[in-house]
Amino acid sequence: MSDNKTQPTGLAPRAFVEAIEHPVRRADGLVLLDLFAEVSGFEPVMWGPTIIGYGKYHYVYDSGREGDFLATGFSPRKSNLSIYIMPGYQDYSGILADLGKHKLGKSCLYVNKLADIDLDVLRRLIRVGLDDLHQKWPVTAG
């Protein structure tokens, strides 16, 4: 059984994005809905109230903790777009150097708006992140 607080819900991802008040964040969210589906090959699933995930994986840590989590995805937050694409144990600095304006977290990146980044580089980053994750823990449909 998973200890994760963030679990898949029955909410509709497109309806969630279409309800975003901020016009740029809403438009960027709609682009990301399709971009992630195209690159990942998975349908979007809401994880918790604000994260849209594509694919999932089951992890088991050395500590014995295990669970399921989204393989990749994004959240159109009020202050920025949070993009969950990096498993957290690979160095993607070569790709990130070509991405455009962003900030890094441990396993996600933050973008103010899609106009600040190169979407082809984002596509490559999503694909590489999924491939790396799949080598450690198999990625399946969400």
Side-chain angles (χ1 to χ4, degrees):
M1 179 173 244
S2 175
D3 295 328
N4 286 333
K5 292 179 183 177
T6 305
Q7 296 289 327
T9 70
L11 300 174
R14 188 161 299 274
F16 166 72
V17 173
E18 288 173 347
I20 295 170
E21 289 184 31
H22 191 280
V24 173
R25 192 76 69 235
R26 181 176 55 249
D28 285 353
L30 290 169
V31 168
L32 289 176
L33 268 175
D34 294 337
L35 187 144
F36 272 89
E38 170 196 322
V39 174
S40 71
F42 298 117
E43 292 296 317
V45 172
M46 291 298 300
W47 285 72
T50 62
I51 299 174
I52 300 166
Y54 296 79
K56 69 177 182 179
Y57 66 98
H58 184 79
Y59 61 85
V60 180
Y61 294 139
D62 291 339
S63 67
R65 181 170 189 251
E66 66 180 286
D68 296 311
F69 203 64
L70 62 111
T72 191
F74 70 97
S75 181
R77 308 260 184 214
K78 198 171 210 173
S79 59
N80 55 37
L81 296 165
S82 297
I83 301 176
Y84 306 96
I85 52 176
M86 299 168 289
Y89 46 82
Q90 296 290 344
D91 178 9
Y92 296 117
S93 57
I95 299 172
L96 290 169
D98 296 331
L99 181 63
K101 186 178 175 184
H102 68 278
K103 292 182 182 177
L104 281 179
K106 182 176 179 182
S107 61
C108 66
L109 63 100
Y110 305 101
V111 174
N112 288 329
K113 58 189 178 298
L114 292 184
D116 291 341
I117 63 171
D118 184 322
L119 293 183
D120 288 332
V121 175
L122 179 60
R123 283 181 180 90
R124 194 167 87 226
L125 193 55
I126 294 166
R127 183 74 262 151
V128 169
L130 279 170
D131 291 346
D132 285 345
L133 179 61
H134 187 72
Q135 288 180 18
K136 185 163 178 80
W137 290 299
V139 175
T140 62

